[in-house]
Structures are given as structure tokens and as C-alpha cells.
Amino acid sequence: MALVGSLVVALLLGALSLLVLFPAAQHLRSLRGGERVEATLVRQGGCMAGNCQVEFEAAGRTVVADLPVGSGAGKSSVGTRLPVRYRADDPQVVALDGDVGGGGAAVGAVMSAGGALLFLAVSVLAGISLLRQGRPDPADGPATSPDEPHAGE
């Protein structure tokens, strides 16, 4: 059972790393050259889960945009002024200026991938251990002692 559990955890961590964290880091890095502006935090609550919004002026209009999952604005309170970067052609795509390096998401991706490799190694070792135990073949039937008469004798 440890073999299956370790393998499932390894697959989940690998999927998290490849399908969520690496793309998030790339997305944040794509905003490095974006327009920089001061924004006001208008909704705060679980920024790591993507529940934060900022308001700023872009191209003469007021924009209210969601910060991406994993944003570092969690310790800021509503009304705080924060530097953000946004895409000039789509101001709804925004991230904190301090997050656009993608470092936090990249570190998370590397840690998740490392955890996946660790659990994969545990799965391999558990599999090898099971193979070395040499379980009896159930097709051979129950073992009998030499003193017991065999059927038909």
C-alpha cells in the first residue's frame, strides 16, 4: 500500500509543479516589461489563493483587476498603495511589481518537483523491497509437511 500511496503523491506533486507552478512563474515573468503604475488594494483576502484586487488608472480609465494566485500582497490591508505591472494591451493582466521576477512561483515549482522525485524514489525502493521478499506463488497450493499424507494415498 505504501508503494501506491507514494506513487500517487509523486504524481500529484509532479503535476502541481509542471501544470501549475512553472506556468505561473512564466506568466509572472512575462509582465517584466509591462507598464508600471501605483495601484490601490481594494479587496484583500487570501492573496495566495487569488482573492485580491487592485485598482489603478490605465489609458485614462479606472481598471479593477485580480492579482494572480500566489501574490505577495497578503500582508497588505485594503487601501494600501502597491506598485504593479500590467500588459499595455490588456490591463486586466496584472501582477505586483515585486512578483514579476517569478521567483516565488519558481521556488515552489522546484520544491514540488523535488518532493515528487523523493516520493518516486520511495515508490521504487518499496517496489524493490516487495520483489526481494519473494512471496510464495499461490499456484503452488498450500504447503504440506513431509509427515502429512498426500491426497490419494
Side-chain angles (χ1 to χ4, degrees):
M1 190 60 160
L3 174 70
V4 174
S6 296
L7 194 55
V8 167
V9 171
L11 290 173
L12 289 174
L13 287 173
L16 173 68
S17 182
L18 291 173
L19 300 175
V20 177
L21 296 172
F22 277 125
Q26 289 175 336
H27 168 72
L28 290 170
R29 282 190 211 107
S30 75
L31 291 169
R32 278 186 186 166
E35 302 292 325
R36 188 177 189 279
V37 66
E38 287 291 317
T40 303
L41 187 64
V42 293
R43 186 177 77 193
Q44 188 268 345
C47 292
M48 287 301 287
N51 292 325
C52 289
Q53 285 184 329
V54 292
E55 180 179 289
F56 57 94
E57 294 288 323
R61 66 183 183 108
T62 301
V63 176
V64 176
D66 294 325
L67 290 174
V69 173
S71 174
K75 295 180 182 174
S76 303
S77 58
V78 171
T80 303
R81 301 284 292 168
L82 302 166
V84 297
R85 290 197 182 262
Y86 67 91
R87 277 200 189 124
D89 61 340
D90 185 4
Q92 292 294 318
V93 179
V94 64
L96 291 177
D97 190 44
D99 292 345
V100 297
V107 168
V110 169
M111 290 176 61
S112 178
L117 290 175
L118 175 70
F119 278 97
L120 185 60
V122 167
S123 298
V124 168
L125 292 175
I128 291 171
S129 175
L130 285 175
L131 288 174
R132 286 189 176 172
Q133 284 180 359
R135 295 184 177 182
D137 188 1
D140 290 342
T144 58
S145 70
D147 297 336
E148 292 181 22
H150 293 290
E153 289 182 19

